[in-house]
Amino acid sequence: MVRNLIIQIFLGEEEDINDHPKFMVNRDRWRVYCNRLGLDYLFFDKDNIEPYLGPLKDFYYGLRYTWQRIDFIRYLIINKEGGIYVDLDIYPKPNMDIFDILEQPYILNYWINKKGKKEINNAMMGFEAGSLNELILYSQEETARCTKMPIYDCWKVRYMLNTTGVRMFKRWCKKEKLEYTDNLHDYVTDEMTCTWLNNFH
């Protein structure tokens, strides 16, 4: 079973969550939500992630871009704690319990692509503790593979997406035959702000 825990992360290495009022509002929404339903809540920033790095500390700090670290640390935390990771531009709908839809041993978010089709993304994801070892290894392997390709010196965003980000994540999900949670957006609102596109570093 996925642990009754909501996990959120703000890893602005040169800024603070206080610089993002919308993120603060959504974080508070989840805190109130968890308190109402008796769920656990954990919030992480650059000051309290160290215990989750373990033997992958050098790999983590060796990643080229902040947004790679934001992706990778969520995998490490979920793998250790279990629970549901939620991006800060997603918030719960009132009077709904996200854990009511756990008909399978995981939760996966989706977004609507340009063709109007649903695609898995890693903006909200719930797994049991210890179930992401293969994903973490796969991300390391893809990082090593892409780092050897000179084209990614120019394609910075694609490099991030294919090493730790959503393209890598979708490939792993396909390999593992995992599917998005079809009715997830009945329970949450995903604003899909894509703030990383405007602040990639």
Side-chain angles (χ1 to χ4, degrees):
M1 289 288 294
V2 175
R3 177 181 169 189
N4 288 350
L5 166 68
I6 298 296
I7 298 164
Q8 295 194 286
I9 301 168
F10 183 85
L11 204 62
E13 295 177 352
E14 297 177 0
E15 56 185 348
D16 188 85
I17 192 172
N18 295 314
D19 299 320
H20 298 268
K22 180 176 288 189
F23 289 175
M24 293 180 66
V25 168
N26 287 346
R27 179 184 63 176
D28 290 343
R29 283 170 165 167
W30 280 107
R31 284 175 166 169
V32 169
Y33 175 89
C34 289
N35 186 58
R36 178 174 61 84
L37 294 176
L39 308 175
D40 294 325
Y41 178 88
L42 291 175
F43 181 78
F44 294 90
D45 59 24
K46 65 181 184 296
D47 296 324
N48 63 349
I49 60 169
E50 285 285 329
Y52 294 87
L53 300 179
L56 295 177
K57 183 175 181 177
D58 288 344
F59 173 81
Y60 175 82
Y61 285 113
L63 290 167
R64 290 181 186 176
Y65 305 114
T66 300
W67 286 99
Q68 286 181 285
R69 290 187 282 279
I70 292 170
D71 280 321
F72 196 71
I73 192 62
R74 75 186 63 175
Y75 308 143
L76 296 181
I77 293 171
I78 294 173
N79 199 47
K80 183 171 182 178
E81 297 288 351
I84 301 176
Y85 165 82
V86 186
D87 268 358
L88 285 162
D89 58 358
I90 298 175
Y91 60 88
K93 292 184 178 179
N95 303 316
M96 305 291 276
D97 183 350
I98 191 67
F99 288 91
D100 285 345
I101 61 174
L102 271 175
E103 298 173 357
Q104 51 197 16
Y106 63 88
I107 284 178
L108 283 175
N109 192 36
Y110 60 84
W111 70 294
I112 308 299
N113 65 21
K114 293 179 181 178
K115 296 180 180 179
K117 294 183 178 181
K118 295 177 181 177
E119 284 189 20
I120 286 174
N121 70 27
N122 62 356
M124 184 171 182
M125 47 190 290
F127 289 93
E128 297 177 6
S131 62
L132 296 186
N133 290 313
E134 293 301 318
L135 170 62
I136 292 165
L137 179 60
Y138 183 63
S139 182
Q140 291 175 268
E141 292 171 345
E142 290 298 277
T143 299
R145 180 180 67 84
C146 292
T147 299
K148 295 175 183 176
M149 301 170 67
I151 191 65
Y152 284 119
D153 292 337
C154 301
W155 290 351
K156 296 180 180 181
V157 172
R158 290 188 188 183
Y159 175 78
M160 181 274 289
L161 292 173
N162 282 301
T163 55
T164 61
V166 69
R167 290 185 182 176
M168 178 282 300
F169 184 70
K170 285 193 295 185
R171 291 195 300 273
W172 178 77
C173 288
K174 183 177 181 180
K175 187 164 65 82
E176 298 295 320
K177 297 181 172 58
L178 304 181
E179 300 178 352
Y180 55 77
T181 306
D182 193 49
N183 60 339
L184 180 60
H185 291 184
D186 293 339
Y187 292 79
V188 299
T189 298
D190 187 347
E191 298 176 298
M192 302 185 198
T193 58
C194 295
T195 52
W196 62 274
L197 284 171
N198 301 319
N199 191 25
F200 185 82
H201 60 276

